[in-house]
Amino acid sequence: MTASTSPRLALHWQILIAIALAVPAGLLAGEDAGILGISFYSVFDFVGTLFINALKMLIVPLIASSMIVGVANIGGGGALGRLGGRTAFFYASTSLAAIVVGLVIVNVVRPGIADGAPAGDRLALEADGADVSALIGDRGPGDIVQIFLRMVPENVFAAAGDNGAILSVIFFSLLFGYFMTKIDVVHRQVLMSFWKGVFEVMTKLTEWIMTLAPIGVFGLVAK
């Protein structure tokens, strides 16, 4: 007769418990308390930063492998063309809407301005509403063209190392997956097997890192 094992607590409950424990831990520790010359604040910062870096580490290989495998499975022809057209239209329309909404809010609501004066000093902020307005005041719907220019990277490896250039990685992966379907079947199968293997490895790695999420969230919230 085998001993029964209790079911493991679901991840979301683990994260909620970590948040509940992190709040009092951070309040009690402050920035100065510590042990053996090591502050609890620095430990919280280390744990939280390590978790965020681990998540960022997954982004490029996970996106690239999933996109390449997905597009290669769709194959060439009209299906991929229709999907690409719809994706481009959706991205352009949502980006344009975001720009327009941002411009309206900045010019009508004027965030960061209180009683006609910058509110940065009251909130102890380094940048005030005037600075923000100066940064985006000359923006317009025409800036969406720049988004599509950034979509095509000069160097895909450099783009992969830039956190703000994920769109370039997605675009390259789409093209790579599409033209994989155009090469000789022997080479296509080799590439398909490789990228499927990469995707499965990244999926397992993501699952493992997410098991550490309660510890990472504890560090972030406590800090």
Side-chain angles (χ1 to χ4, degrees), residues 66-219:
S66 61
M67 294 293 295
I68 290 173
V69 170
V71 171
N73 281 330
I74 293 175
L80 184 60
R82 288 191 297 272
L83 177 62
R86 292 174 182 174
T87 302
F89 173 77
F90 177 79
Y91 187 82
S93 59
T94 53
S95 299
L96 180 60
I99 292 172
V100 172
V101 170
L103 288 172
V104 170
I105 291 177
V106 167
N107 289 284
V108 175
V109 180
R110 302 190 69 194
I113 303 295
D115 298 327
D121 295 337
R122 301 183 186 180
L123 301 175
L125 299 177
E126 295 181 359
D128 55 35
D131 296 328
V132 174
S133 298
L135 288 172
I136 63 176
D138 59 345
R139 303 299 183 186
D143 286 284
I144 196 172
V145 175
Q146 296 301 319
I147 297 175
F148 284 95
L149 288 177
R150 292 194 296 269
M151 183 188 300
V152 183
E154 296 179 0
N155 186 329
V156 68
F157 298 104
D162 184 356
N163 289 332
I166 295 301
L167 181 62
S168 301
V169 176
I170 293 175
F171 181 73
F172 174 81
S173 301
L174 285 171
L175 291 179
F176 193 97
Y178 172 73
F179 284 103
M180 266 179 55
T181 65
K182 303 299 181 182
I183 63 176
D184 185 82
V185 63
V186 176
H187 303 306
R188 181 168 70 247
Q189 289 175 347
V190 172
L191 285 174
M192 192 67 174
S193 178
F194 169 78
W195 285 110
K196 279 185 175 180
V198 171
F199 176 67
E200 291 181 9
V201 169
M202 294 310 303
T203 301
K204 294 293 184 183
L205 184 56
T206 302
E207 293 174 353
W208 176 72
I209 290 178
M210 287 310 299
T211 62
L212 306 176
I215 301 175
V217 169
F218 177 88

Side-chain angles (χ1 to χ4, degrees), residues 9-24 214 217-218:
L9 196 63
L11 181 61
H12 63 278
W13 289 117
Q14 295 181 43
I15 293 175
L16 287 174
I17 293 173
I19 294 174
L21 295 175
V23 173
V217 169
F218 177 88

